[in-house]
Amino acid sequence: MVTRAEMSRPRKERRGVPASGGSALDMDTAVVILGAGVTALTHPLLYVKLLIQVGHEPQPPTTGSNLFGRKVLYLPGFFSYARHIVRVDGKRGLFRGLSPRIMSSTVSTVVRSRVKQVTPIPDMEHVSNKDDIKTSLRKVVKETSHEMVVQCVARIFTHPFHVISVRCMAQFVGREMKYSGLFSSVAEIFRHEGIAGFFVGLVPHVLGEIIFLWCCNLLAHFINTYAVDDNFSQAPAVRSYTKFVMGIAVSALTYPFLLVADLMAVNNCGLQAGLPPHTPVFRSWIHCWRHLGAQGQLFRGSSFFFRRVPLEMTALAVE
């Protein structure tokens, strides 16, 4: 006979399955669904960004004025660019390369969950306001190291899907159909480039994420420790937003790593967007970085609005 105490326990626990396992599975499923939704909603934004990154400018610049009233040339912003894609490919064209991105998001969630099971979060020491400076710094380093391992493993597993997605979107430049589906794209890359083709651009991507993670966490820690006074009534609220603000600032500084990673994923893969005369064939990601730096293009695609024409393009327009 089942007692009242047993009836009050979760059904899975009464069957011998821990309730926490079910809740963890439900949480992973919810994260996967939410991630897929966010990925789908933001995909047009990232699609336009990728085309700008590879240097595809199908529309002429327009004349405008800056804050000082001087006339400058501006390249089309996100909405103008998106309308151009719709005119060429229809509304569905804004979602080119979406399926590998959803796969990447799903795989990332699963991998992160498995890695965290190997190093359980409850075993980690979290920073407390009661800790002294040396102890709190040690905990921040330990937490960041754990996050770095999770991020690196997830990136290695998801990077092949990122490469496929980037190449699917870059086909817009030359109107190719070389990468039309997930499985056919896998076969195409493996046939011509082997296993290494799935990991083109991985190094700058991982480096950018590692630098972002450490800079963001350490800067937030030092600001919360030395700049925010405990006597200030809003100190807890300020500390809760510090990492978010630092994330925005650091992401701008580490953007060139993301740009180089995306360009390397397209470079010399058989698509017009990654071949001369559209772009040089790069020997390595460092060669790509130096080329962009020499042209002042290391932040190309970082802005969707008020995109000023580069100086060399302005000179050609004047001539």
Side-chain angles (χ1 to χ4, degrees), residues 178-319:
K178 192 174 181 180
Y179 301 92
S180 56
L182 184 60
F183 295 106
S184 61
S185 298
V186 170
E188 176 71 20
I189 294 174
F190 185 77
R191 183 166 56 250
H192 292 94
E193 303 172 60
I195 297 296
F198 295 102
F199 298 97
V200 179
L202 175 63
V203 174
H205 216 154
V206 171
L207 281 176
E209 290 178 344
I210 291 175
I211 294 172
F212 169 83
L213 188 61
W214 280 99
C215 289
C216 183
N217 286 2
L218 290 177
L219 285 173
H221 169 70
F222 288 130
I223 290 175
N224 288 338
T225 302
Y226 298 104
V228 181
D229 191 351
D230 289 331
N231 296 323
F232 180 50
S233 60
Q234 300 298 323
V238 172
R239 287 193 175 101
S240 65
Y241 286 104
T242 303
K243 186 177 288 189
F244 174 75
V245 175
M246 288 298 99
I248 296 175
V250 176
S251 63
L253 296 177
T254 57
Y255 176 80
F257 289 95
L258 175 62
L259 172 61
V260 171
D262 288 344
L263 292 183
M264 291 304 297
V266 178
N267 195 249
N268 199 26
C269 69
L271 299 179
Q272 184 176 320
L275 292 171
H278 190 82
T279 184
V281 174
F282 300 117
R283 297 185 299 273
S284 65
W285 71 269
I286 297 177
H287 179 206
C288 177
W289 184 293
R290 289 174 176 172
H291 174 77
L292 293 172
Q295 292 188 332
Q297 294 287 298
L298 277 173
F299 292 90
R300 185 171 67 196
S302 60
S303 175
F304 290 106
F305 306 100
F306 305 109
R307 299 193 302 123
R308 294 186 59 173
V309 176
L311 292 178
E312 62 271 14
M313 291 181 63
T314 305
L316 291 174
V318 171
E319 294 175 1

Side-chain angles (χ1 to χ4, degrees), residues 5-318:
E6 291 175 332
M7 288 295 293
S8 63
R9 293 162 58 189
R11 182 177 299 176
K12 288 186 177 181
E13 193 173 350
R14 294 202 305 269
R15 294 177 180 175
V17 180
S20 59
S23 61
L25 181 61
D26 292 341
M27 180 62 69
D28 287 345
T29 303
V31 171
V32 167
I33 295 174
L34 180 61
V38 172
T39 299
L41 288 174
T42 59
H43 187 75
L45 207 66
L46 294 180
Y47 183 17
V48 171
K49 181 178 182 179
L50 187 277
L51 294 179
I52 296 174
Q53 285 180 330
V54 299
H56 183 55
E57 298 293 349
Q59 302 176 92
T62 57
T63 304
S65 301
N66 59 15
L67 294 175
F68 302 100
R70 295 180 58 184
K71 288 185 177 181
V72 293
L73 290 176
Y74 287 106
L75 292 168
F78 166 74
F79 295 108
S80 298
Y81 212 126
R83 283 195 295 268
H84 172 74
I85 295 174
V86 171
R87 283 195 299 269
V88 176
D89 283 342
K91 293 181 179 179
R92 292 183 60 184
L94 288 172
F95 298 93
R96 182 196 294 259
L98 175 60
S99 57
R101 282 199 64 225
I102 291 179
M103 281 296 299
S104 176
S105 174
T106 302
V107 171
S108 177
T109 300
V110 174
V111 170
R112 287 172 182 274
S113 177
R114 296 298 179 268
V115 174
K116 288 178 181 178
Q117 287 178 5
V118 176
T119 310
I121 294 179
D123 293 345
M124 300 292 294
E125 298 179 89
H126 295 286
V127 179
S128 171
N129 292 334
K130 298 179 181 179
D131 296 330
D132 56 50
I133 295 175
K134 189 174 181 179
T135 302
S136 63
L137 180 59
R138 178 180 60 82
K139 289 183 178 180
V140 168
V141 170
K142 188 174 182 180
E143 285 184 7
T144 306
S145 300
H146 176 262
E147 292 179 31
M148 181 181 68
V149 172
V150 174
Q151 183 66 29
C152 288
V153 174
R155 172 53 56 190
I156 291 172
F157 276 90
T158 60
H159 194 74
F161 299 103
H162 177 75
V163 172
I164 294 172
S165 177
V166 166
R167 293 185 180 183
C168 286
M169 292 185 282
Q171 290 183 135
F172 181 86
V173 177
R175 311 305 300 160
E176 299 103 340
M177 293 298 293
K178 192 174 181 180
Y179 301 92
S180 56
L182 184 60
F183 295 106
S184 61
S185 298
V186 170
E188 176 71 20
I189 294 174
F190 185 77
R191 183 166 56 250
H192 292 94
E193 303 172 60
I195 297 296
F198 295 102
F199 298 97
V200 179
L202 175 63
V203 174
H205 216 154
V206 171
L207 281 176
E209 290 178 344
I210 291 175
I211 294 172
F212 169 83
L213 188 61
W214 280 99
C215 289
C216 183
N217 286 2
L218 290 177
L219 285 173
H221 169 70
F222 288 130
I223 290 175
N224 288 338
T225 302
Y226 298 104
V228 181
D229 191 351
D230 289 331
N231 296 323
F232 180 50
S233 60
Q234 300 298 323
V238 172
R239 287 193 175 101
S240 65
Y241 286 104
T242 303
K243 186 177 288 189
F244 174 75
V245 175
M246 288 298 99
I248 296 175
V250 176
S251 63
L253 296 177
T254 57
Y255 176 80
F257 289 95
L258 175 62
L259 172 61
V260 171
D262 288 344
L263 292 183
M264 291 304 297
V266 178
N267 195 249
N268 199 26
C269 69
L271 299 179
Q272 184 176 320
L275 292 171
H278 190 82
T279 184
V281 174
F282 300 117
R283 297 185 299 273
S284 65
W285 71 269
I286 297 177
H287 179 206
C288 177
W289 184 293
R290 289 174 176 172
H291 174 77
L292 293 172
Q295 292 188 332
Q297 294 287 298
L298 277 173
F299 292 90
R300 185 171 67 196
S302 60
S303 175
F304 290 106
F305 306 100
F306 305 109
R307 299 193 302 123
R308 294 186 59 173
V309 176
L311 292 178
E312 62 271 14
M313 291 181 63
T314 305
L316 291 174
V318 171

